């Protein structure tokens, strides 16, 4: 029998505060907001792969003592934006995305990975999915993020974007 593959090599990440309770957390050229709520954090995008997503999650989880990323908002299904979904899912992070992505994301999470065990294969669990129909408000009284379903975008079917009203920050993936 073949030994399970080792976890992906660790990558570094960095955080830059861009507003009260909002950081840009990136690894390599990819980044996105991490937003602080009363008892958790929400990250925008699960970029590229396990190593990149873990790097961003690790930096995010160290930003505020006692608070971890519990949700990742995914703008659309293209691999460069959703390639880290299995990594996030392996850590129990819920995916927030337009409802039209749910079936694809559930299939992605349910597929076995016997030859190249990734985070989800090493820690199997069902996908936690929070669907966005037209609009979904993530609001706990200390922070609000509005997530919207974009209709008719030419680059990506079933796209979503988010807006943080307090600091007036628009979060998008491949809109411009």
């Amino acid at each position: 029998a073949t030994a399970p593959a080792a976890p992906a090599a660790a990558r570094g990440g960095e955080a830059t505060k861009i507003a009260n309770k909002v950081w840009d957390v990136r690894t390599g050229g990819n980044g996105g907001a991490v937003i602080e709520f009363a008892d958790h954090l929400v990250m925008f995008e699960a970029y590229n792969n396990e190593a990149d997503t873990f790097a961003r999650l690790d930096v995010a989880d160290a930003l505020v003592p006692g608070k971890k990323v519990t949700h990742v908002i995914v703008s659309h299904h293209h691999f460069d934006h959703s390639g880290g979904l299995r990594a996030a899912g392996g850590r129990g992070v819920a995916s927030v995305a337009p409802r039209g992505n749910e079936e694809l994301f559930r299939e992605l999470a349910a597929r076995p990975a016997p030859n190249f065990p990734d985070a989800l294969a090493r820690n199997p669990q069902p996908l936690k999915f929070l669907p966005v129909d037209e609009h979904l408000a993530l609001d706990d009284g200390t922070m609000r993020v509005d997530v919207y379903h974009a209709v008719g975008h030419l680059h990506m079917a079933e796209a979503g974007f988010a807006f943080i009203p307090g600091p007036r920050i628009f979060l998008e993936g491949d809109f411009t």
Side-chain angles (χ1 to χ4, degrees):
T2 306
R11 292 202 40 164
E14 61 184 10
T16 304
K17 189 166 189 163
I18 56 176
N20 185 35
K21 298 184 176 188
V22 183
W23 296 262
D24 176 37
V25 176
R26 57 184 55 244
T27 183
N30 293 311
V34 171
I35 306 113
E36 180 185 355
F37 286 78
D39 62 356
H40 68 282
L41 303 170
V42 173
M43 187 167 78
F44 188 77
E45 302 289 35
Y47 286 113
N48 293 334
N49 54 46
E50 183 172 291
D52 286 355
T53 297
F54 279 170
R56 290 186 65 228
L57 284 170
D58 291 345
V59 168
D61 286 348
L63 289 171
V64 183
K67 295 183 184 180
K68 303 279 186 206
V69 174
T70 60
H71 293 76
V72 61
I73 300 168
V74 183
S75 66
H76 62 292
H77 71 280
H78 293 166
F79 74 93
D80 56 328
H81 295 262
S82 66
L85 272 179
R86 287 182 57 92
R91 288 198 179 171
V93 175
S95 298
V96 180
R99 186 179 298 276
N101 292 303
E102 184 172 8
E103 184 178 344
L104 176 65
F105 288 177
R106 286 199 184 282
E107 180 182 344
L108 177 73
R111 292 205 171 233
N115 297 324
F116 303 98
D118 60 7
L120 195 57
R122 294 187 302 271
N123 185 26
Q125 50 192 295
L127 176 71
K128 297 175 189 171
F129 188 85
L130 187 57
V132 178
D133 289 314
E134 191 171 314
H135 169 247
L136 175 69
L138 303 174
D139 189 341
D140 70 355
T142 68
M143 176 57 76
R144 179 182 176 104
V145 177
D146 292 299
V147 186
Y148 296 93
H149 176 220
V151 178
H153 196 277
L154 294 177
H155 173 70
M156 49 197 168
E158 299 301 331
F161 63 93
F163 182 70
I164 310 170
R168 298 177 48 170
I169 297 173
F170 178 66
L171 308 173
E172 59 86 19
D174 292 351
F175 264 57
T176 56

